[in-house]
PDB file of all heavy atoms in Angstrom:
ATOM      1  N   LEU A1035     -10.763  41.813  -3.620  1.00  0.00           N
ATOM      2  CA  LEU A1035     -11.639  41.682  -2.461  1.00  0.00           C
ATOM      3  C   LEU A1035     -12.602  42.866  -2.464  1.00  0.00           C
ATOM      4  O   LEU A1035     -12.261  43.946  -2.943  1.00  0.00           O
ATOM      5  CB  LEU A1035     -10.822  41.684  -1.159  1.00  0.00           C
ATOM      6  CG  LEU A1035      -9.560  40.828  -1.125  1.00  0.00           C
ATOM      7  CD1 LEU A1035      -8.870  40.974   0.229  1.00  0.00           C
ATOM      8  CD2 LEU A1035      -9.884  39.382  -1.420  1.00  0.00           C
ATOM      9  N   MET A1036     -13.796  42.674  -1.910  1.00  0.00           N
ATOM     10  CA  MET A1036     -14.750  43.795  -1.853  1.00  0.00           C
ATOM     11  C   MET A1036     -15.554  43.729  -0.561  1.00  0.00           C
ATOM     12  O   MET A1036     -15.978  42.639  -0.133  1.00  0.00           O
ATOM     13  CB  MET A1036     -15.698  43.778  -3.050  1.00  0.00           C
ATOM     14  CG  MET A1036     -16.661  44.985  -3.053  1.00  0.00           C
ATOM     15  SD  MET A1036     -17.531  45.214  -4.617  1.00  0.00           S
ATOM     16  CE  MET A1036     -18.725  43.872  -4.530  1.00  0.00           C
ATOM     17  N   HIS A1037     -15.778  44.882   0.053  1.00  0.00           N
ATOM     18  CA  HIS A1037     -16.640  44.984   1.234  1.00  0.00           C
ATOM     19  C   HIS A1037     -17.704  46.033   0.982  1.00  0.00           C
ATOM     20  O   HIS A1037     -17.398  47.141   0.524  1.00  0.00           O
ATOM     21  CB  HIS A1037     -15.812  45.376   2.463  1.00  0.00           C
ATOM     22  CG  HIS A1037     -16.630  45.441   3.723  1.00  0.00           C
ATOM     23  ND1 HIS A1037     -16.455  46.391   4.688  1.00  0.00           N
ATOM     24  CD2 HIS A1037     -17.660  44.649   4.163  1.00  0.00           C
ATOM     25  CE1 HIS A1037     -17.316  46.197   5.669  1.00  0.00           C
ATOM     26  NE2 HIS A1037     -18.049  45.143   5.372  1.00  0.00           N
ATOM     27  N   ILE A1038     -18.946  45.690   1.288  1.00  0.00           N
ATOM     28  CA  ILE A1038     -20.044  46.652   1.234  1.00  0.00           C
ATOM     29  C   ILE A1038     -20.213  47.195   2.642  1.00  0.00           C
ATOM     30  O   ILE A1038     -20.703  46.504   3.541  1.00  0.00           O
ATOM     31  CB  ILE A1038     -21.346  45.982   0.730  1.00  0.00           C
ATOM     32  CG1 ILE A1038     -21.111  45.326  -0.640  1.00  0.00           C
ATOM     33  CG2 ILE A1038     -22.465  47.009   0.669  1.00  0.00           C
ATOM     34  CD1 ILE A1038     -20.646  46.278  -1.723  1.00  0.00           C
ATOM     35  N   ASP A1039     -19.789  48.422   2.850  1.00  0.00           N
ATOM     36  CA  ASP A1039     -19.676  49.021   4.182  1.00  0.00           C
ATOM     37  C   ASP A1039     -20.935  49.827   4.503  1.00  0.00           C
ATOM     38  O   ASP A1039     -21.272  50.772   3.792  1.00  0.00           O
ATOM     39  CB  ASP A1039     -18.435  49.927   4.197  1.00  0.00           C
ATOM     40  CG  ASP A1039     -18.070  50.393   5.600  1.00  0.00           C
ATOM     41  OD1 ASP A1039     -18.915  50.282   6.508  1.00  0.00           O
ATOM     42  OD2 ASP A1039     -16.941  50.883   5.772  1.00  0.00           O
ATOM     43  N   THR A1040     -21.613  49.427   5.589  1.00  0.00           N
ATOM     44  CA  THR A1040     -22.822  50.170   5.980  1.00  0.00           C
ATOM     45  C   THR A1040     -22.477  51.488   6.666  1.00  0.00           C
ATOM     46  O   THR A1040     -23.339  52.337   6.858  1.00  0.00           O
ATOM     47  CB  THR A1040     -23.681  49.344   6.959  1.00  0.00           C
ATOM     48  OG1 THR A1040     -22.964  49.178   8.188  1.00  0.00           O
ATOM     49  CG2 THR A1040     -24.043  47.997   6.376  1.00  0.00           C
ATOM     50  N   GLY A1041     -21.212  51.647   7.082  1.00  0.00           N
ATOM     51  CA  GLY A1041     -20.826  52.816   7.869  1.00  0.00           C
ATOM     52  C   GLY A1041     -21.140  52.661   9.340  1.00  0.00           C
ATOM     53  O   GLY A1041     -20.828  53.528  10.149  1.00  0.00           O
ATOM     54  N   HIS A1042     -21.782  51.533   9.680  1.00  0.00           N
ATOM     55  CA  HIS A1042     -22.146  51.252  11.067  1.00  0.00           C
ATOM     56  C   HIS A1042     -21.515  49.941  11.536  1.00  0.00           C
ATOM     57  O   HIS A1042     -22.142  49.148  12.231  1.00  0.00           O
ATOM     58  CB  HIS A1042     -23.672  51.153  11.211  1.00  0.00           C
ATOM     59  CG  HIS A1042     -24.355  52.482  11.156  1.00  0.00           C
ATOM     60  ND1 HIS A1042     -25.724  52.617  11.177  1.00  0.00           N
ATOM     61  CD2 HIS A1042     -23.854  53.735  11.062  1.00  0.00           C
ATOM     62  CE1 HIS A1042     -26.042  53.900  11.106  1.00  0.00           C
ATOM     63  NE2 HIS A1042     -24.922  54.598  11.023  1.00  0.00           N
ATOM     64  N   ASN A1043     -20.285  49.703  11.097  1.00  0.00           N
ATOM     65  CA  ASN A1043     -19.601  48.470  11.488  1.00  0.00           C
ATOM     66  C   ASN A1043     -18.769  48.699  12.738  1.00  0.00           C
ATOM     67  O   ASN A1043     -18.385  49.833  13.062  1.00  0.00           O
ATOM     68  CB  ASN A1043     -18.697  47.989  10.353  1.00  0.00           C
ATOM     69  CG  ASN A1043     -19.495  47.560   9.135  1.00  0.00           C
ATOM     70  OD1 ASN A1043     -20.121  46.519   9.124  1.00  0.00           O
ATOM     71  ND2 ASN A1043     -19.481  48.407   8.103  1.00  0.00           N
ATOM     72  N   TYR A1044     -18.473  47.623  13.442  1.00  0.00           N
ATOM     73  CA  TYR A1044     -17.608  47.727  14.620  1.00  0.00           C
ATOM     74  C   TYR A1044     -16.204  48.148  14.178  1.00  0.00           C
ATOM     75  O   TYR A1044     -15.642  47.546  13.248  1.00  0.00           O
ATOM     76  CB  TYR A1044     -17.575  46.397  15.368  1.00  0.00           C
ATOM     77  CG  TYR A1044     -18.882  46.083  16.055  1.00  0.00           C
ATOM     78  CD1 TYR A1044     -19.846  45.298  15.427  1.00  0.00           C
ATOM     79  CD2 TYR A1044     -19.168  46.604  17.314  1.00  0.00           C
ATOM     80  CE1 TYR A1044     -21.063  45.029  16.040  1.00  0.00           C
ATOM     81  CE2 TYR A1044     -20.383  46.341  17.935  1.00  0.00           C
ATOM     82  CZ  TYR A1044     -21.322  45.562  17.298  1.00  0.00           C
ATOM     83  OH  TYR A1044     -22.541  45.299  17.903  1.00  0.00           O
ATOM     84  N   PRO A1045     -15.641  49.187  14.791  1.00  0.00           N
ATOM     85  CA  PRO A1045     -14.345  49.719  14.331  1.00  0.00           C
ATOM     86  C   PRO A1045     -13.220  48.689  14.392  1.00  0.00           C
ATOM     87  O   PRO A1045     -12.308  48.724  13.561  1.00  0.00           O
ATOM     88  CB  PRO A1045     -14.088  50.897  15.278  1.00  0.00           C
ATOM     89  CG  PRO A1045     -15.032  50.724  16.429  1.00  0.00           C
ATOM     90  CD  PRO A1045     -16.196  49.977  15.900  1.00  0.00           C
ATOM     91  N   GLU A1046     -13.289  47.754  15.354  1.00  0.00           N
ATOM     92  CA  GLU A1046     -12.238  46.717  15.432  1.00  0.00           C
ATOM     93  C   GLU A1046     -12.231  45.852  14.173  1.00  0.00           C
ATOM     94  O   GLU A1046     -11.167  45.402  13.711  1.00  0.00           O
ATOM     95  CB  GLU A1046     -12.474  45.812  16.643  1.00  0.00           C
ATOM     96  CG  GLU A1046     -12.536  46.523  17.991  1.00  0.00           C
ATOM     97  CD  GLU A1046     -13.958  46.826  18.418  1.00  0.00           C
ATOM     98  OE1 GLU A1046     -14.774  47.208  17.544  1.00  0.00           O
ATOM     99  OE2 GLU A1046     -14.267  46.684  19.610  1.00  0.00           O
ATOM    100  N   VAL A1047     -13.414  45.627  13.620  1.00  0.00           N
ATOM    101  CA  VAL A1047     -13.526  44.765  12.442  1.00  0.00           C
ATOM    102  C   VAL A1047     -13.014  45.496  11.195  1.00  0.00           C
ATOM    103  O   VAL A1047     -12.322  44.915  10.354  1.00  0.00           O
ATOM    104  CB  VAL A1047     -14.987  44.307  12.255  1.00  0.00           C
ATOM    105  CG1 VAL A1047     -15.118  43.410  11.027  1.00  0.00           C
ATOM    106  CG2 VAL A1047     -15.471  43.571  13.504  1.00  0.00           C
ATOM    107  N   ILE A1048     -13.356  46.775  11.083  1.00  0.00           N
ATOM    108  CA  ILE A1048     -12.892  47.549   9.924  1.00  0.00           C
ATOM    109  C   ILE A1048     -11.366  47.690   9.944  1.00  0.00           C
ATOM    110  O   ILE A1048     -10.703  47.551   8.902  1.00  0.00           O
ATOM    111  CB  ILE A1048     -13.563  48.936   9.913  1.00  0.00           C
ATOM    112  CG1 ILE A1048     -15.083  48.783   9.714  1.00  0.00           C
ATOM    113  CG2 ILE A1048     -12.963  49.812   8.809  1.00  0.00           C
ATOM    114  CD1 ILE A1048     -15.483  48.071   8.443  1.00  0.00           C
ATOM    115  N   ALA A1049     -10.796  47.923  11.117  1.00  0.00           N
ATOM    116  CA  ALA A1049      -9.329  48.028  11.220  1.00  0.00           C
ATOM    117  C   ALA A1049      -8.680  46.696  10.836  1.00  0.00           C
ATOM    118  O   ALA A1049      -7.662  46.670  10.124  1.00  0.00           O
ATOM    119  CB  ALA A1049      -8.939  48.413  12.649  1.00  0.00           C
ATOM    120  N   PHE A1050      -9.281  45.590  11.270  1.00  0.00           N
ATOM    121  CA  PHE A1050      -8.748  44.270  10.917  1.00  0.00           C
ATOM    122  C   PHE A1050      -8.868  44.033   9.416  1.00  0.00           C
ATOM    123  O   PHE A1050      -7.939  43.498   8.790  1.00  0.00           O
ATOM    124  CB  PHE A1050      -9.493  43.185  11.689  1.00  0.00           C
ATOM    125  CG  PHE A1050      -9.085  41.794  11.317  1.00  0.00           C
ATOM    126  CD1 PHE A1050      -7.982  41.201  11.911  1.00  0.00           C
ATOM    127  CD2 PHE A1050      -9.789  41.073  10.353  1.00  0.00           C
ATOM    128  CE1 PHE A1050      -7.591  39.916  11.559  1.00  0.00           C
ATOM    129  CE2 PHE A1050      -9.398  39.800   9.990  1.00  0.00           C
ATOM    130  CZ  PHE A1050      -8.298  39.219  10.595  1.00  0.00           C
ATOM    131  N   ARG A1051     -10.005  44.411   8.827  1.00  0.00           N
ATOM    132  CA  ARG A1051     -10.220  44.238   7.375  1.00  0.00           C
ATOM    133  C   ARG A1051      -9.101  44.884   6.578  1.00  0.00           C
ATOM    134  O   ARG A1051      -8.498  44.269   5.691  1.00  0.00           O
ATOM    135  CB  ARG A1051     -11.571  44.875   7.000  1.00  0.00           C
ATOM    136  CG  ARG A1051     -11.902  44.866   5.530  1.00  0.00           C
ATOM    137  CD  ARG A1051     -12.956  45.915   5.200  1.00  0.00           C
ATOM    138  NE  ARG A1051     -12.414  47.278   5.313  1.00  0.00           N
ATOM    139  CZ  ARG A1051     -13.134  48.389   5.184  1.00  0.00           C
ATOM    140  NH1 ARG A1051     -14.435  48.296   4.978  1.00  0.00           N
ATOM    141  NH2 ARG A1051     -12.574  49.584   5.289  1.00  0.00           N
ATOM    142  N   ASP A1052      -8.817  46.149   6.894  1.00  0.00           N
ATOM    143  CA  ASP A1052      -7.801  46.896   6.142  1.00  0.00           C
ATOM    144  C   ASP A1052      -6.407  46.308   6.371  1.00  0.00           C
ATOM    145  O   ASP A1052      -5.605  46.207   5.445  1.00  0.00           O
ATOM    146  CB  ASP A1052      -7.829  48.365   6.565  1.00  0.00           C
ATOM    147  CG  ASP A1052      -9.145  49.033   6.189  1.00  0.00           C
ATOM    148  OD1 ASP A1052      -9.860  48.489   5.325  1.00  0.00           O
ATOM    149  OD2 ASP A1052      -9.457  50.090   6.779  1.00  0.00           O
ATOM    150  N   LYS A1053      -6.119  45.913   7.611  1.00  0.00           N
ATOM    151  CA  LYS A1053      -4.815  45.342   7.937  1.00  0.00           C
ATOM    152  C   LYS A1053      -4.592  44.031   7.190  1.00  0.00           C
ATOM    153  O   LYS A1053      -3.515  43.815   6.618  1.00  0.00           O
ATOM    154  CB  LYS A1053      -4.743  45.120   9.455  1.00  0.00           C
ATOM    155  CG  LYS A1053      -3.547  44.326   9.965  1.00  0.00           C
ATOM    156  CD  LYS A1053      -3.577  44.253  11.488  1.00  0.00           C
ATOM    157  CE  LYS A1053      -2.621  43.221  12.054  1.00  0.00           C
ATOM    158  NZ  LYS A1053      -3.040  41.833  11.787  1.00  0.00           N
ATOM    159  N   ARG A1054      -5.605  43.165   7.168  1.00  0.00           N
ATOM    160  CA  ARG A1054      -5.444  41.849   6.533  1.00  0.00           C
ATOM    161  C   ARG A1054      -5.273  41.979   5.014  1.00  0.00           C
ATOM    162  O   ARG A1054      -4.457  41.265   4.416  1.00  0.00           O
ATOM    163  CB  ARG A1054      -6.675  40.981   6.841  1.00  0.00           C
ATOM    164  CG  ARG A1054      -6.474  39.525   6.472  1.00  0.00           C
ATOM    165  CD  ARG A1054      -5.563  38.823   7.441  1.00  0.00           C
ATOM    166  NE  ARG A1054      -5.161  37.501   6.955  1.00  0.00           N
ATOM    167  CZ  ARG A1054      -4.001  37.245   6.362  1.00  0.00           C
ATOM    168  NH1 ARG A1054      -3.112  38.206   6.190  1.00  0.00           N
ATOM    169  NH2 ARG A1054      -3.705  36.044   5.941  1.00  0.00           N
ATOM    170  N   ALA A1055      -6.045  42.895   4.396  1.00  0.00           N
ATOM    171  CA  ALA A1055      -5.907  43.089   2.946  1.00  0.00           C
ATOM    172  C   ALA A1055      -4.512  43.608   2.608  1.00  0.00           C
ATOM    173  O   ALA A1055      -3.902  43.187   1.611  1.00  0.00           O
ATOM    174  CB  ALA A1055      -6.981  44.057   2.460  1.00  0.00           C
ATOM    175  N   GLU A1056      -3.980  44.498   3.452  1.00  0.00           N
ATOM    176  CA  GLU A1056      -2.643  45.040   3.208  1.00  0.00           C
ATOM    177  C   GLU A1056      -1.587  43.951   3.384  1.00  0.00           C
ATOM    178  O   GLU A1056      -0.639  43.869   2.601  1.00  0.00           O
ATOM    179  CB  GLU A1056      -2.365  46.203   4.170  1.00  0.00           C
ATOM    180  CG  GLU A1056      -1.034  46.888   3.907  1.00  0.00           C
ATOM    181  CD  GLU A1056      -0.830  48.104   4.807  1.00  0.00           C
ATOM    182  OE1 GLU A1056      -1.777  48.477   5.527  1.00  0.00           O
ATOM    183  OE2 GLU A1056       0.276  48.671   4.767  1.00  0.00           O
ATOM    184  N   GLU A1057      -1.752  43.110   4.406  1.00  0.00           N
ATOM    185  CA  GLU A1057      -0.786  42.016   4.626  1.00  0.00           C
ATOM    186  C   GLU A1057      -0.739  41.079   3.421  1.00  0.00           C
ATOM    187  O   GLU A1057       0.332  40.596   3.037  1.00  0.00           O
ATOM    188  CB  GLU A1057      -1.178  41.228   5.880  1.00  0.00           C
ATOM    189  CG  GLU A1057      -0.936  41.958   7.190  1.00  0.00           C
ATOM    190  CD  GLU A1057      -1.519  41.216   8.375  1.00  0.00           C
ATOM    191  OE1 GLU A1057      -2.293  40.257   8.183  1.00  0.00           O
ATOM    192  OE2 GLU A1057      -1.206  41.613   9.509  1.00  0.00           O
ATOM    193  N   LEU A1058      -1.897  40.810   2.838  1.00  0.00           N
ATOM    194  CA  LEU A1058      -1.957  39.895   1.700  1.00  0.00           C
ATOM    195  C   LEU A1058      -1.479  40.557   0.414  1.00  0.00           C
ATOM    196  O   LEU A1058      -1.150  39.874  -0.558  1.00  0.00           O
ATOM    197  CB  LEU A1058      -3.390  39.390   1.512  1.00  0.00           C
ATOM    198  CG  LEU A1058      -3.899  38.397   2.552  1.00  0.00           C
ATOM    199  CD1 LEU A1058      -5.403  38.197   2.399  1.00  0.00           C
ATOM    200  CD2 LEU A1058      -3.187  37.057   2.408  1.00  0.00           C
ATOM    201  N   GLY A1059      -1.475  41.889   0.386  1.00  0.00           N
ATOM    202  CA  GLY A1059      -1.090  42.607  -0.826  1.00  0.00           C
ATOM    203  C   GLY A1059      -2.134  42.504  -1.916  1.00  0.00           C
ATOM    204  O   GLY A1059      -1.817  42.607  -3.106  1.00  0.00           O
ATOM    205  N   GLU A1060      -3.399  42.295  -1.521  1.00  0.00           N
ATOM    206  CA  GLU A1060      -4.472  42.168  -2.499  1.00  0.00           C
ATOM    207  C   GLU A1060      -5.292  43.467  -2.561  1.00  0.00           C
ATOM    208  O   GLU A1060      -5.366  44.212  -1.583  1.00  0.00           O
ATOM    209  CB  GLU A1060      -5.386  40.991  -2.135  1.00  0.00           C
ATOM    210  CG  GLU A1060      -4.682  39.641  -2.120  1.00  0.00           C
ATOM    211  CD  GLU A1060      -4.261  39.178  -3.512  1.00  0.00           C
ATOM    212  OE1 GLU A1060      -4.783  39.722  -4.501  1.00  0.00           O
ATOM    213  OE2 GLU A1060      -3.404  38.269  -3.583  1.00  0.00           O
ATOM    214  N   ARG A1061      -5.908  43.691  -3.699  1.00  0.00           N
ATOM    215  CA  ARG A1061      -6.728  44.893  -3.899  1.00  0.00           C
ATOM    216  C   ARG A1061      -8.038  44.774  -3.132  1.00  0.00           C
ATOM    217  O   ARG A1061      -8.748  43.774  -3.260  1.00  0.00           O
ATOM    218  CB  ARG A1061      -7.015  45.063  -5.393  1.00  0.00           C
ATOM    219  CG  ARG A1061      -7.878  46.263  -5.732  1.00  0.00           C
ATOM    220  CD  ARG A1061      -8.260  46.212  -7.201  1.00  0.00           C
ATOM    221  NE  ARG A1061      -9.162  47.303  -7.574  1.00  0.00           N
ATOM    222  CZ  ARG A1061      -9.925  47.278  -8.662  1.00  0.00           C
ATOM    223  NH1 ARG A1061      -9.884  46.226  -9.472  1.00  0.00           N
ATOM    224  NH2 ARG A1061     -10.721  48.300  -8.939  1.00  0.00           N
ATOM    225  N   LEU A1062      -8.350  45.776  -2.317  1.00  0.00           N
ATOM    226  CA  LEU A1062      -9.604  45.817  -1.562  1.00  0.00           C
ATOM    227  C   LEU A1062     -10.474  46.958  -2.082  1.00  0.00           C
ATOM    228  O   LEU A1062     -10.073  48.121  -2.042  1.00  0.00           O
ATOM    229  CB  LEU A1062      -9.333  46.028  -0.065  1.00  0.00           C
ATOM    230  CG  LEU A1062     -10.567  46.246   0.823  1.00  0.00           C
ATOM    231  CD1 LEU A1062     -11.459  45.015   0.835  1.00  0.00           C
ATOM    232  CD2 LEU A1062     -10.150  46.626   2.254  1.00  0.00           C
ATOM    233  N   ILE A1063     -11.646  46.603  -2.567  1.00  0.00           N
ATOM    234  CA  ILE A1063     -12.635  47.590  -3.014  1.00  0.00           C
ATOM    235  C   ILE A1063     -13.641  47.785  -1.884  1.00  0.00           C
ATOM    236  O   ILE A1063     -14.161  46.808  -1.350  1.00  0.00           O
ATOM    237  CB  ILE A1063     -13.371  47.101  -4.276  1.00  0.00           C
ATOM    238  CG1 ILE A1063     -12.387  46.915  -5.436  1.00  0.00           C
ATOM    239  CG2 ILE A1063     -14.494  48.058  -4.651  1.00  0.00           C
ATOM    240  CD1 ILE A1063     -12.994  46.166  -6.617  1.00  0.00           C
ATOM    241  N   VAL A1064     -13.898  49.015  -1.495  1.00  0.00           N
ATOM    242  CA  VAL A1064     -14.912  49.300  -0.477  1.00  0.00           C
ATOM    243  C   VAL A1064     -15.971  50.198  -1.120  1.00  0.00           C
ATOM    244  O   VAL A1064     -15.642  51.256  -1.683  1.00  0.00           O
ATOM    245  CB  VAL A1064     -14.306  50.003   0.750  1.00  0.00           C
ATOM    246  CG1 VAL A1064     -15.399  50.335   1.767  1.00  0.00           C
ATOM    247  CG2 VAL A1064     -13.248  49.113   1.402  1.00  0.00           C
TER     248      VAL A1064
END
Side-chain angles (χ1 to χ4, degrees):
L1035 315 179
M1036 183 167 74
H1037 182 219
I1038 304 301
D1039 191 344
T1040 66
H1042 285 176
N1043 294 286
Y1044 290 94
E1046 303 96 320
V1047 180
I1048 295 301
F1050 176 85
R1051 176 200 70 185
D1052 295 342
K1053 171 177 166 290
R1054 192 74 191 99
E1056 184 176 353
E1057 288 172 348
L1058 288 169
E1060 299 291 343
R1061 179 188 177 199
L1062 173 64
I1063 298 168
V1064 178

